[in-house]
Amino acid sequence: MAPPAIISPSILSADFAALGAACSDTIGQGCDWLHIDIMDGHFVPNITFGAPVVTKIRPHVGRPKTSMGQGTFDCHMMIAEPKKWVKDFQKAGCDLYCFHYEAAIDSTAAENPADETEKKTNPKELIHYIHDNGMLAGIAIKPETPVDVLWDILRNPTKSERPDMVLVMTVHPGFGGQKFMASELPKVKALRERYPDLNIEVDGGLSEGTIDQAAEAGANVIVAGSAVFGAKDPADVISKLREAVDKRR
């Protein structure tokens, strides 16, 4: 049986003028996590916000009482140098640090933003480093990246080098409000068939109109931005997204 549904609204669609209250309200409406999109203008063309904003909204949402529990800050790191920012986001209150495979294979092993080194990192080493810094680790893949790149990472016998979650992007990362790409769901299905207990997240274009496809493929962690924050009744949308996933477990 697949893990239970986890609904993680993307705060990229929240009211930035009252972000703390928006985060608190959404947790109160029944969501599990908050999905925090970090974009640096290099890995993706857009820029959002950094660790200082995470620090400011953290007091508005209670820390999870259990691993992956309600209140988890699910930080999606769309950044070119993911290892450099692990410590800053841990201090800011991140619970799950999800980096991109594509960045990890082409970035340095520097451990602080100001550091420079020619030494390279890699996904397994980065996952281990995130765990060493007290956070859960996620790994994300873009639409153009085949799911096959993850097999060696997921079957790694060293537990500290295996991710706690895999994120399959169902849009091209960088901007909210894009159309859902059903073409990415075979990746989700392949992951679920091989790893029935894995937390599999989908991000991009998720709504009441697309959730059935994602849930049927095997996704259990659902990122929805405008579908939740733009709804007249966010609690009802969160409930329907959860129901769609849980009835297919």
Side-chain angles (χ1 to χ4, degrees):
M1 181 181 289
I6 294 172
I7 310 303
S8 185
S10 170
I11 68 170
L12 199 60
S13 297
D15 180 1
F16 278 22
L19 193 53
C23 291
S24 177
D25 290 348
T26 305
I27 290 290
Q29 288 156 352
C31 79
D32 302 288
W33 299 357
L34 290 174
H35 188 81
I36 302 172
D37 289 304
I38 308 298
M39 307 182 195
D40 66 355
H42 297 282
F43 182 73
V44 292
N46 199 8
I47 297 174
T48 53
F49 39 75
V53 172
V54 177
T55 300
K56 291 296 185 182
I57 62 174
R58 182 74 268 185
H60 293 266
V61 177
R63 298 299 293 256
K65 295 178 181 178
T66 58
S67 179
M68 295 196 175
Q70 188 178 43
T72 292
F73 274 17
D74 166 25
C75 293
H76 179 192
M77 308 303 295
M78 289 170 274
I79 61 176
E81 292 286 341
K83 190 171 184 182
K84 282 188 174 185
W85 295 96
V86 169
K87 291 180 180 177
D88 279 24
F89 276 84
Q90 188 277 331
K91 292 175 185 175
C94 171
D95 300 295
L96 192 159
Y97 190 97
C98 184
F99 64 90
H100 268 265
Y101 168 86
E102 302 86 359
I105 60 171
D106 193 35
S107 59
T108 72
E111 297 183 1
N112 293 288
D115 291 351
E116 298 292 338
T117 179
E118 293 184 4
K119 183 182 177 183
K120 296 291 186 178
T121 190
N122 62 71
K124 292 179 185 178
E125 189 274 338
L126 184 50
I127 290 166
H128 183 88
Y129 184 70
I130 293 165
H131 285 150
D132 271 359
N133 277 273
M135 293 182 289
L136 299 167
I139 187 167
I141 54 172
K142 294 179 178 181
E144 56 266 33
T145 301
V147 71
D148 307 56
V149 302
L150 298 176
W151 300 145
D152 182 58
I153 298 166
L154 288 167
R155 64 172 171 249
N156 187 349
T158 305
K159 184 178 180 182
S160 65
E161 295 179 351
R162 293 198 305 267
D164 303 288
M165 184 189 77
V166 169
L167 165 54
V168 175
M169 293 298 299
T170 47
V171 297
H172 292 285
F175 295 93
Q178 297 181 62
K179 186 178 179 182
F180 177 74
M181 296 172 65
S183 60
E184 303 313 296
L185 294 180
K187 298 177 184 178
V188 175
K189 186 176 180 182
L191 284 161
R192 180 58 68 213
E193 287 175 349
R194 290 195 183 207
Y195 299 97
D197 298 326
L198 180 66
N199 281 296
I200 303 172
E201 184 173 60
V202 284
D203 177 9
L206 274 301
S207 67
E208 291 178 68
T210 56
I211 184 60
D212 286 337
Q213 298 174 68
E216 194 67 39
N220 73 295
V221 185
I222 309 300
V223 177
S226 55
V228 172
F229 284 102
K232 290 183 178 179
D233 188 348
D236 182 61
V237 173
I238 291 167
S239 176
K240 287 176 178 175
L241 295 175
R242 187 184 308 283
E243 180 184 0
V245 173
D246 281 342
K247 73 180 182 182
R248 291 172 169 84
R249 292 179 63 202

